[in-house]
Amino acid sequence: TVTVNGFAKKAMSNRIFLFFGYISYPLYLVHENMLIATTIKIHSLFPDSSVAEYLLPPLALVVLIAFIVARYIEPYSRRKVTNYLSYST
């Protein structure tokens, strides 16, 4: 059995950790190409901008897209595949 101390349990039940755990796989799928490409593009358009100004908007966009995929697209796709497989057997 695994024993978890109170601090670790409280930390892992934090809403931010739970949110990023929820979107972790879609975030993993979309973050690299989208985040890097968008960051480079914004920085090339606004070379005098700070790191926060050219990194935070793409990061927020990638997190939003990952949430939409986790919340809507993934369950929809799962239902469609499950229905298809149940009809074909």
Side-chain angles (χ1 to χ4, degrees):
T1 62
V2 176
T3 304
V4 179
N5 69 25
F7 174 76
K9 190 173 185 176
K10 186 174 182 177
M12 290 300 136
S13 64
N14 181 296
R15 291 176 62 131
I16 293 172
F17 281 128
L18 293 174
F19 173 75
F20 279 100
Y22 178 67
I23 68 166
S24 63
Y25 188 66
L27 185 62
Y28 164 74
L29 294 175
V30 300
H31 87 281
E32 185 176 4
N33 293 328
M34 181 178 263
L35 185 62
I36 300 299
T38 309
T39 301
I40 290 171
K41 187 68 163 177
I42 290 174
H43 187 57
S44 69
L45 293 172
F46 306 101
D48 295 331
S49 61
S50 70
V51 172
E53 291 172 330
Y54 69 82
L55 182 60
L56 291 179
L59 183 60
L61 179 64
V62 168
V63 168
L64 176 64
I65 290 171
F67 173 73
I68 290 169
V69 169
R71 178 72 171 97
Y72 300 105
I73 297 172
E74 190 177 338
Y76 174 80
S77 301
R78 186 180 305 124
R79 281 192 308 273
K80 288 294 186 183
V81 169
T82 301
N83 288 340
Y84 175 78
L85 292 176
S86 66
Y87 287 130
S88 62
T89 56

